[in-house]
Amino acid sequence: MTAAPRPLEGVKVLDLTWFGAGPIATRSLANLGADVVRVETGKRPDGLRIAGPKPAGNASLNVSGYYNNYNAEKRSITLDLTTERGHELGLGLVRWADVFMTNMTNRAVRQVGMSWEAVREANPGIVAMYQPMQGMAGPHTEFVGFGAVLSAICGVNYFAGSEGRPPIGVSTNYPDYVVNPMHAVVALLAALRHRRRTGQGQLIDMSQLESSVAALAAPVFAWDNAAEEYRRQGNRVPHAAPHGAYRTRAEGDRSDRWLVLACLTEGHWRAAADVMEHPGWADDPRFASLALRKQHEDALDALIEGWAAGQHGPEVAARLQSAGVPAGLVLNATEILRDEHLQARTYYAYPDHAEAGVRAYDGPGFRLSVTPVELRGPAPLLGEHTTEVATEILGLSPDEVAALVAEGVLA
Amino acid sequence: MPGALDDLRVIDATGPIGHYAGRLLADLGADVIKVEPLAGDPARLWPPFLPDTPEPESGLLFLLLNANKRGVRLDLADEQGREAFLRLVATADVLIESWSSQEADSLHLIDEALHEVRPDLIRCSVTGWGLDGPSAGLAYADIVTCAMSGVMQLAGFPDGTPEQLPALQSHACASINAAAGILAAVLHRDATGEGQRVEVSAQEALLMAQETAMQGADINGVDRARTGGTGVLPVKMPGLGVYEVDDGFVYAMCTGTAGSGFAGLVRLMTDLGFEHGLDREPYATFIRTSMTTAQVTALLQDPAQSDRVRPLLEEIEAVVSAFFRRYPKETLYVQGQERRALIGAVNGPREISESVQLVAREWFRSIDDAGRGQTLRYPGPPWRLHGTPATLRRPAPLLGEHNMEVFRESGLAPDAIAALTSDGTPAR
């Protein structure tokens, strides 16, 4: 652990997020050194505290790997904002904060009295981000959903997978994990910079739909400007061939082993044909240019499928890479956790959590050479820092804290 | 109104993996100069193409990701090209590139050379695997990163292939992380005057997208596999997943505690006049007490309950499927959402382009692309910063469009500028 200062040391973040898209954004701010105070309640805990993965037979709200991964290094205060006293204390946290963030629905924001008007009145200089699914205004502003619902609306389901099969998407709440949280971080850092230069805070209205479409916009842009109908093509792309996943032979307990291969240039294709020990394929008139390979892609893929079926995946992936061809294996999470490249780069962090023990957490998605970005601690227990935050930030006495806990305000 | 970055100049020398990073910074107000090889960026030649526009000005992906940038072209392997590049870097706050360490070495564009011309430079490298570690030099492609970051393991049908993420998501995720890292470095430079290196590995940028797969492997030693979108239950959970509808598909998630849950779906059926029978026994009580995924999971794990529950679920699923098939997706989506039922239409490009919400919010913006003789409609920025709004100021540059303008700004003489493109094509 290095002692160098991180870029957001001293920045105070009030975190009213939950589930994925919001918490991952504020987690990233914490990894940059910000002091992130996450408001939760025992009455309605974050759904990810309830969901797993958890150790078998352990239903504690503090051991979900899903929750813990997205909340590392934050402080947790349990505070019921729907009570009058709780709301006053919440506004105290707003006054303390440089940044306010929520990804709750507009309706939930109203229920806890944390509208932009209320937040700005309490702290005119604050940077506040609201991240409801479809933005803070407009005819669909109250529409709700998790990342999987949004995936349908924003195009993931339509764009992914193969023609002739239902558009199941990519089997995750995809926009929640990188696109929406990291777009949020970009906006928050830009607004923080503006604040440091001018003293002015601002409102950021972040529609998760707009953010998601922005990252997936190519087919929409092509429709609007070229009337280009999108076709679902599985693992194919218009600009490369061969390009796909090809099953290789079983390895021990790994019967479902797939090689991926992408020939972006004529050189890649020629080299790949050599590695496949069919150099003649590169001279086959059907495959002599990208346009021809796209035209005869079914035949091309059938040849490669036939070849791959007899190969040892890791060995051919390495041979293709040695020849300069983009290739690799479809890895599962266990293989990734053990991957020597990621281990050499110490991507995963293993902080020790009081209840969950030493568990893997994702590292940051970017690295800085002078001001490190790194995860320095585990996720908080539910309400772990209630007393600490209430006394240090809100100025309550220990007796007041105890009384408010008993009343259900700090609970 | 000011942009948050309108005092910054960014040199964007990336290939397709990093285009979107420069675009994000440009949207925030930075002066972003795209530096391309003499022949142009490879994505200029990637289909689909803008109609009635010659190569290399028609590649739509290039147009999308390089709006708001000026553009120059030069040959970095040529001594004059390299010198002009360094002159340009000397005027810049940020350099984004996508060279491997070996490529940077061979171009003599290592940190020391750049530091000499611009000591406080923020240099961001966006590559497939990062700059060090045993895989650092591997050949990169979007699908390879998807595969090696675990997301393909999750996507697809059990009897089909693992599926890539659509629309080059490793590029998008790497670029978004690059923009975030650059901004963190800008904050540090603002405070201290010190530049630094920002490094993004596309593989690492995507690892978070494995959802719960990593934690499942770490905590329970269980790897997720592709399930065809049915989730983890051994039976089909009614009200959860993709449903075929009259004119396409919707995705429904009416089985949790958020929104109006399964009751909201039943209300939608009733309100649309669909005869469902789910308000009668044995369904009514079961739906009232047991129709969340968590409750059903618990029932199926109890051998005493499992046999009773399975046929009930199958009967309810038959009703739900018949209901969805009867109606068009827009009706199910809008009417469902108005009852707080978590239903999303499976939208394609046309529906997204015509989205009532996106249009009402004036999210798409049109810009006159004089160089290509067309007006282009662009999707908007991913956020709305009310104090420092994003702007769409210019279309993507023609190849080498700003050579004269940009290099004149950096103090190069006209004949030296002309020599940069001495492959025969005149500088503009």
Side-chain angles (χ1 to χ4, degrees):
Chain A
M1 293 290 164
T2 167
R6 293 183 289 178
L8 295 189
E9 295 287 350
V11 172
K12 295 169 285 195
V13 179
L14 174 57
D15 179 349
L16 260 65
T17 64
W18 64 348
F19 288 92
I24 294 171
T26 48
R27 194 260 223 192
S28 183
L29 300 181
N31 296 166
L32 286 163
D35 178 4
V36 179
V37 170
R38 168 101 195 253
V39 174
E40 307 189 70
T41 70
K43 206 163 72 177
R44 190 153 188 214
D46 188 329
L48 300 195
R49 282 194 179 275
I50 297 164
K54 297 183 178 187
N58 186 345
S60 164
L61 293 172
N62 293 318
V63 297
S64 163
Y66 204 2
Y67 173 93
N68 286 352
N69 193 33
Y70 302 159
N71 291 282
E73 282 203 87
K74 300 179 190 176
R75 297 200 272 178
S76 166
I77 176 175
T78 46
L79 170 60
D80 185 352
L81 294 167
T82 62
T83 63
E84 198 182 329
R85 183 71 180 122
H87 186 249
E88 277 171 29
L89 294 171
L91 290 178
L93 291 174
V94 171
R95 283 188 283 275
W96 163 81
D98 302 301
V99 174
F100 167 95
M101 179 170 180
T102 183
N103 65 326
M104 293 189 291
T105 61
N106 297 329
R107 176 179 142 131
V109 166
R110 291 192 294 271
Q111 281 167 357
V112 299
M114 286 289 166
S115 68
W116 165 236
E117 290 70 26
V119 166
R120 180 178 50 186
E121 190 184 318
N123 183 348
I126 202 163
V127 168
M129 171 178 283
Y130 293 80
Q131 196 195 35
M133 185 169 78
Q134 301 214 11
M136 295 172 73
H140 295 173
T141 182
E142 303 296 335
F143 284 17
V144 289
F146 295 100
V149 177
L150 176 61
S151 288
I153 300 168
C154 77
V156 168
N157 288 58
Y158 193 93
F159 302 150
S162 304
E163 266 180 331
R165 303 213 76 161
I168 56 166
V170 297
S171 299
T172 63
N173 293 272
Y174 174 70
D176 284 351
Y177 302 119
V178 187
V179 168
N180 287 332
M182 295 316 294
H183 268 152
V185 170
V186 172
L188 288 167
L189 294 179
L192 269 176
R193 176 168 198 253
H194 182 67
R195 184 176 188 259
R196 285 187 180 172
R197 292 164 81 205
T198 64
Q200 290 166 0
Q202 64 175 301
L203 168 65
I204 305 169
D205 172 5
M206 185 169 157
S207 153
Q208 295 190 40
L209 174 62
E210 289 168 2
S211 161
S212 303
V213 176
L216 289 150
V220 182
F221 190 68
W223 168 253
D224 273 341
N225 297 298
E228 180 84 20
E229 299 267 9
Y230 185 86
R231 278 185 52 227
R232 302 165 62 218
Q233 302 175 71
N235 288 320
R236 293 180 180 177
V237 295
H239 59 272
H243 188 282
Y246 307 90
R247 194 194 286 271
T248 58
R249 73 167 196 251
E251 292 157 42
D253 59 348
R254 193 85 160 85
S255 58
D256 190 45
R257 173 59 88 190
W258 296 78
L259 169 78
V260 295
L261 165 68
C263 291
L264 298 164
T265 66
E266 296 310 299
H268 289 158
W269 166 229
R270 199 155 279 283
D274 277 345
V275 170
M276 295 177 200
E277 294 173 331
H278 290 284
W281 289 353
D283 298 317
D284 186 318
R286 293 173 300 168
F287 309 139
S289 70
L290 173 63
L292 288 164
R293 289 195 297 280
K294 287 300 296 179
Q295 198 181 325
H296 301 287
E297 201 162 7
D298 289 344
L300 177 65
D301 276 344
L303 286 178
I304 297 174
E305 279 160 19
W307 164 80
Q311 304 297 320
H312 182 254
E315 193 187 303
V316 288
R319 269 172 35 216
L320 286 160
Q321 277 288 352
S322 299
V325 181
L329 299 173
V330 175
L331 300 181
N332 65 28
T334 298
E335 290 167 328
I336 288 168
L337 282 165
R338 295 175 185 160
D339 182 74
E340 60 168 18
H341 177 66
L342 292 168
Q343 288 187 354
R345 288 171 58 80
T346 56
Y347 171 77
Y348 286 109
Y350 292 86
D352 194 359
H353 180 280
E355 270 192 47
V358 175
R359 290 296 172 204
Y361 288 60
D362 276 283
F366 59 87
R367 297 162 188 248
L368 300 175
S369 62
V370 175
T371 55
V373 197
E374 56 190 18
L375 184 151
R376 293 187 183 173
L381 307 173
L382 178 62
E384 180 177 348
H385 306 95
T386 299
T387 300
E388 180 182 306
V389 170
T391 53
E392 285 177 16
I393 297 178
L394 296 171
L396 301 181
S397 70
D399 286 351
E400 287 173 302
V401 172
L404 289 167
V405 170
E407 280 172 45
V409 172
L410 291 174
Chain B
M1 269 198 266
L5 306 182
D6 58 10
D7 59 327
L8 291 187
R9 173 174 280 191
V10 176
I11 306 302
D12 172 0
T14 63
I17 188 173
H19 286 184
Y20 187 51
R23 174 71 205 275
L24 287 169
L25 301 178
D27 284 0
L28 290 164
D31 173 20
V32 179
I33 299 169
K34 175 99 206 130
V35 175
E36 300 178 66
L38 288 180
D41 185 276
R44 285 182 177 274
L45 304 179
W46 289 1
F49 296 110
L50 187 65
D52 309 318
T53 308
E55 287 181 2
E57 304 304 347
S58 54
L60 284 163
L61 187 73
F62 184 88
L63 267 55
L64 172 67
L65 298 179
N66 293 285
N68 267 348
K69 304 177 190 176
R70 297 192 284 170
V72 299
R73 65 188 192 112
L74 51 73
D75 180 5
L76 280 173
D78 171 78
E79 190 52 36
Q80 280 179 302
R82 181 174 169 275
E83 273 173 25
F85 180 75
L86 288 173
R87 253 175 128 88
L88 203 52
V89 170
T91 69
D93 304 281
V94 177
L95 165 66
I96 323 175
E97 38 83 0
S98 51
W99 306 312
S100 67
S101 296
Q102 299 93 310
E103 284 167 320
D105 276 353
S106 71
L107 294 169
H108 307 292
L109 288 170
I110 55 174
D111 268 343
E112 287 71 17
L114 295 162
H115 186 81
E116 202 172 298
V117 297
R118 183 77 197 204
D120 63 347
L121 183 70
I122 293 165
R123 174 183 188 178
C124 178
S125 301
V126 192
T127 61
W129 322 104
L131 297 174
D132 58 24
S135 302
L138 292 190
Y140 166 81
D142 175 71
I143 191 175
V144 182
T145 312
C146 285
M148 292 178 65
S149 62
V151 294
M152 284 183 76
Q153 167 76 12
L154 311 176
F157 290 88
D159 63 345
T161 63
E163 302 280 6
Q164 66 182 346
L165 300 177
L168 301 174
Q169 289 304 293
S170 82
H171 294 188
C173 292
S175 285
I176 300 168
N177 270 288
I182 288 166
L183 282 166
V186 166
L187 286 171
H188 178 72
R189 201 191 71 154
D190 287 346
T192 64
E194 184 179 30
Q196 62 181 311
R197 189 76 177 257
V198 182
E199 186 202 355
V200 177
S201 145
Q203 180 190 31
E204 290 173 356
L206 261 188
L207 284 169
M208 189 72 100
Q210 290 179 90
E211 199 167 75
T212 56
M214 181 278 283
Q215 300 93 319
D218 179 52
I219 296 172
N220 295 317
V222 177
D223 277 300
R224 274 174 64 172
R226 58 193 189 281
T227 62
T230 58
V232 290
L233 290 180
V235 297
K236 174 75 177 72
M237 180 72 198
L240 178 66
V242 168
Y243 284 91
E244 187 162 10
V245 304
D246 181 51
D247 58 347
F249 294 88
V250 297
Y251 181 87
M253 208 181 196
C254 301
T255 58
T257 52
S260 53
F262 199 83
L265 179 58
V266 174
R267 197 172 318 128
L268 175 65
M269 294 184 194
T270 304
D271 292 353
L272 292 180
F274 182 79
E275 290 288 332
H276 52 76
L278 296 178
D279 43 6
R280 293 196 289 273
E281 299 302 340
Y283 308 115
T285 302
F286 183 74
I287 287 171
R288 198 172 60 248
T289 58
S290 308
M291 273 304 278
T292 69
T293 309
Q295 289 162 337
V296 167
T297 305
L299 288 171
L300 290 173
Q301 281 166 351
D302 177 355
Q305 299 281 354
S306 178
D307 287 349
R308 176 182 72 89
V309 166
R310 279 171 185 257
L312 268 177
L313 290 170
E314 281 169 25
E315 288 158 32
I316 295 169
E317 172 65 6
V319 173
V320 171
S321 298
F323 165 69
F324 277 117
R325 261 198 306 275
R326 173 82 61 85
Y327 296 92
K329 61 183 167 187
E330 192 68 11
T331 302
L332 293 162
Y333 171 45
V334 174
Q335 298 286 324
Q337 285 283 348
E338 283 175 359
R339 290 159 184 78
R340 297 180 49 71
L342 272 57
I343 296 173
V346 172
N347 288 325
R350 179 200 296 262
E351 289 94 346
I352 293 168
S353 171
E354 295 171 359
S355 156
V356 168
Q357 175 73 356
L358 295 177
V359 170
R361 283 167 63 87
E362 298 180 344
W363 188 61
F364 292 97
R365 300 172 190 191
S366 291
I367 189 166
D368 180 28
D369 189 335
R372 296 175 181 84
Q374 305 191 40
T375 297
L376 299 183
R377 187 178 193 241
Y378 274 86
W383 13 242
R384 293 161 190 261
L385 289 97
H386 280 225
T388 53
T391 49
L392 183 61
R393 304 182 296 280
R394 59 167 79 240
L398 305 175
L399 180 57
E401 179 176 349
H402 302 100
N403 269 48
M404 196 56 85
E405 173 183 316
V406 164
F407 289 118
R408 202 180 275 156
E409 282 170 23
S410 70
L412 222 55
D415 54 340
I417 299 173
L420 291 175
T421 51
S422 58
D423 62 338
T425 349
R428 289 169 200 272

